[in-house]
Amino acid sequence: MAQDPQQANAPALPRLGGRRSSYRERVADALRAALIAGELRPGEVYSAPSLAARFGVSATPVREAMLDLAKEGLVDTVPNKGFRVTAVSDQQLDEYTHIRSLIEIPTVVALARTADRVSLEALRPAAREIVTAAAAGDLIAYVEADTRFHLGLLALAGNAHLVEVVADLRKRSRLYGLTALVEAGRLLASAQEHLELLDALLERDEKAVAEIMTRHLGHVRALWAE
């Protein structure tokens, strides 16, 4: 099948979790990352053509991807106009953080005992990509690499349903504070927590892992609140 010329010239879109995905899914991943990063704002209406131009792709996969996001409750369809990004309340954000803390902290702490060094080291490129994206102020790349790192880390626990639950919570998040961190020059320090966490896991330091994960999720909640 001949490749769509627009797809051939399009920028490299995210492949979350290292999985193979369709072009439509990759467009949805990029849009979702932009939404999570706060580059698509709640209450704003975006048309498929305008988003297509922004991402350098054709309008059809964007429209299809936005319909997928509508099924996830991340956007609402607006007849004859496009899609409106849904808002998330403070109570919802608190609930998301609470659930993530209950799941992720003990799971990651346990990995300090069970995960093999090769699997942990395999996550270092993603951790470095987070730092690189933070240094460049590339919020979409930051969110994509951050998602790949955390879901890849949780996958080492061997519980696919756990990963799905956290992935869904992450999709519903809003990191509006990322822009403020970039402007203040503080995003890089936050990004380096991923390397710090990885090193603690490799050192089998459960206490340090628990402290870093607790601090990291606290930072995430603060970002959601901005």
Side-chain angles (χ1 to χ4, degrees), residues 57-130:
V57 298
S58 59
T60 297
V62 169
R63 188 174 292 106
E64 294 173 343
M66 292 299 278
L67 288 173
D68 290 338
L69 298 189
K71 292 177 182 177
E72 297 173 13
L74 303 182
V75 299
D76 295 320
T77 58
V78 181
N80 303 317
K81 291 186 178 181
F83 302 87
R84 179 183 292 110
V85 176
T86 58
V88 182
S89 70
D90 284 342
Q91 180 178 345
Q92 287 174 308
L93 294 177
D94 286 335
E95 291 171 354
Y96 296 162
T97 306
H98 185 213
I99 297 170
R100 285 189 60 185
S101 296
L102 291 174
I103 295 174
E104 294 187 60
I105 294 175
T107 299
V108 175
V109 168
L111 291 176
R113 301 189 301 272
T114 62
D116 64 86
R117 299 187 66 84
V118 173
S119 297
L120 289 171
E121 282 292 355
L123 294 169
R124 193 171 294 278
R128 287 174 175 158
E129 285 179 38
I130 297 170

Side-chain angles (χ1 to χ4, degrees), residues 15 18-22 25:
R15 296 179 184 273
R19 59 173 169 79
R20 292 181 179 275
S21 56
S22 69
E25 289 172 328

Side-chain angles (χ1 to χ4, degrees), residues 18-220:
R19 59 173 169 79
R20 292 181 179 275
S21 56
S22 69
Y23 192 74
R24 169 177 172 170
E25 289 172 328
R26 291 170 62 197
V27 171
D29 286 339
L31 290 169
R32 190 179 291 109
L35 188 151
I36 293 171
E39 294 196 0
L40 301 182
R41 305 295 294 186
E44 293 292 325
V45 176
Y46 299 90
S47 69
S50 67
L51 290 172
R54 179 172 180 169
F55 286 89
V57 298
S58 59
T60 297
V62 169
R63 188 174 292 106
E64 294 173 343
M66 292 299 278
L67 288 173
D68 290 338
L69 298 189
K71 292 177 182 177
E72 297 173 13
L74 303 182
V75 299
D76 295 320
T77 58
V78 181
N80 303 317
K81 291 186 178 181
F83 302 87
R84 179 183 292 110
V85 176
T86 58
V88 182
S89 70
D90 284 342
Q91 180 178 345
Q92 287 174 308
L93 294 177
D94 286 335
E95 291 171 354
Y96 296 162
T97 306
H98 185 213
I99 297 170
R100 285 189 60 185
S101 296
L102 291 174
I103 295 174
E104 294 187 60
I105 294 175
T107 299
V108 175
V109 168
L111 291 176
R113 301 189 301 272
T114 62
D116 64 86
R117 299 187 66 84
V118 173
S119 297
L120 289 171
E121 282 292 355
L123 294 169
R124 193 171 294 278
R128 287 174 175 158
E129 285 179 38
I130 297 170
V131 174
T132 299
D138 188 337
L139 301 187
I140 294 178
Y142 180 95
V143 170
E144 190 275 327
D146 181 72
T147 299
R148 183 151 37 86
F149 175 86
H150 282 285
L151 297 186
L153 181 61
L154 292 172
L156 299 182
N159 188 329
H161 294 293
L162 180 151
V163 176
E164 289 177 5
V165 170
V166 174
D168 182 67
L169 291 170
R170 292 178 65 90
K171 289 176 185 177
R172 298 175 185 280
S173 67
R174 302 289 192 276
L175 300 178
Y176 302 133
L178 283 178
T179 300
L181 283 185
V182 170
E183 293 173 350
R186 291 167 44 215
L187 184 60
L188 185 59
S190 178
Q192 289 172 337
E193 288 180 340
H194 299 83
L195 290 168
E196 184 183 352
L197 173 61
L198 196 55
D199 289 339
L201 285 165
L202 287 164
E203 292 169 4
R204 308 300 183 186
D205 189 337
E206 295 180 39
K207 183 177 179 181
V209 170
E211 187 278 325
I212 296 167
M213 279 298 298
T214 301
R215 170 164 36 97
H216 186 65
L217 287 177
H219 290 168
V220 169

